[in-house]
Amino acid sequence: MLHVQASLRALGPVPGGAAGVVEALLELLGPDGTLVAYTATPENSATSRVHQRATAGLSPAAVADYQARMPRFDPATTPASPSMGALSEAVRTHPGALRSHHPQTSWAAVGRLAREITGRHPLTSHLGPESPLGRLYELDARVLMLGVPMGRFTAFHLADLRMPDVPLREYRCVGADGWTTFRAPDLDDLHFDRLGEEVLRTARGITTARIGTADCRLVPVREAVDLAEVVLRRGRP
């Protein structure tokens, strides 16, 4: 099973573009493999950094108008955020792909275990152990960092959630049935660069290669998350 995080720009020209890369990865995985991508949609959230940037400096009336025009999340049709990259959208739109129904942090998968990975995704476990990300850890998946630095390794959120006293915050977004509000752990990725450096220094199961013009790593989720937890606990007073 393979979770792919990719920068096609770093990879360079590829026949067929993002769809061609997806087809190549599925061929390598074979009929028993599963390809997974993060297809988050912060654009439909009133509490995301994307929304904060888009509405900065607007009057209350203008913010209300902006929010009234925000589209509802539909797992079948809502595109992955542009910030997720073209490859995530190519996985989402691949024939037979399944997608979790979380209106903020959805995941898409193609292959034998796609339903097992995407079938359950509680609102309050947006990137936690009950999410598709948690199932990647349980199933001992590998992550292909295709021209993407370890500072963007999404699974580090699982290590964050193992820390004591993780604060909760309120999230508000436009779900399939309109506006919804939920409380979930307050997560960010501002410290992931440091975690990535530490994990690269100590991990034994990471393999590296050059594909096209991109520096790539194949990273075991369990090892990386467990090592990140050690780093985080070591840094606590």
Side-chain angles (χ1 to χ4, degrees):
M1 182 189 319
L2 187 68
H3 168 211
V4 62
Q5 294 187 230
S7 166
L8 292 184
R9 182 178 299 177
L11 186 61
V14 177
V21 175
V22 169
E23 292 296 344
L25 292 174
L26 288 172
E27 183 176 349
L28 287 171
L29 288 168
D32 291 329
T34 305
L35 183 64
V36 184
Y38 187 31
T39 54
T41 51
E43 290 80 8
N44 74 325
S45 167
T47 49
S48 69
R49 286 198 291 261
V50 170
H51 182 273
Q52 292 167 2
R53 288 193 296 267
T55 58
L58 297 183
S59 68
V63 171
D65 178 68
Y66 180 90
Q67 292 183 355
R69 291 183 283 105
M70 288 166 62
R72 295 187 179 193
F73 173 76
D74 182 338
T77 61
T78 301
S81 171
S83 62
M84 297 297 101
L87 199 63
S88 289
E89 179 66 358
V91 173
R92 183 192 74 83
T93 57
H94 191 277
L98 299 178
R99 189 184 195 184
S100 69
H101 284 215
H102 199 289
Q104 287 292 269
T105 55
S106 64
W107 294 74
V110 180
R112 186 172 64 87
L113 297 178
R115 190 170 302 280
E116 180 176 348
I117 292 166
T118 63
R120 184 169 182 267
H121 195 168
L123 274 177
T124 55
S125 186
H126 52 331
L127 289 170
E130 297 179 81
S131 73
L133 182 59
R135 279 186 285 286
L136 292 179
Y137 179 91
E138 293 170 0
L139 295 166
D140 198 20
R142 298 296 186 268
V143 181
L144 177 60
M145 304 295 285
L146 193 61
V148 175
M150 286 295 292
R152 288 174 55 192
F153 189 75
T154 306
F156 283 154
H157 286 300
L158 294 173
D160 282 341
L161 289 170
R162 295 176 181 176
M163 297 300 101
D165 304 319
V166 176
L168 300 179
R169 63 166 290 193
E170 184 176 278
Y171 295 85
R172 184 167 178 260
C173 60
V174 192
D177 299 319
W179 284 98
T180 185
T181 301
F182 61 96
R183 288 182 63 78
D186 186 4
L187 299 176
D188 65 54
D189 57 5
L190 300 179
H191 57 299
F192 280 12
D193 284 334
R194 178 175 68 90
L195 285 181
E197 291 172 1
E198 293 284 348
V199 167
L200 286 176
R201 272 197 286 268
T202 55
R204 297 186 176 184
I206 296 176
T207 57
T208 62
R210 186 133 177 117
I211 303 175
T213 56
D215 292 321
C216 304
R217 295 183 178 92
L218 189 63
V219 185
V221 170
R222 283 185 186 173
E223 183 185 27
V225 170
D226 292 348
L227 287 172
E229 179 185 2
V230 171
V231 174
L232 290 170
R233 292 190 182 279
R234 191 172 64 221
R236 296 179 70 86

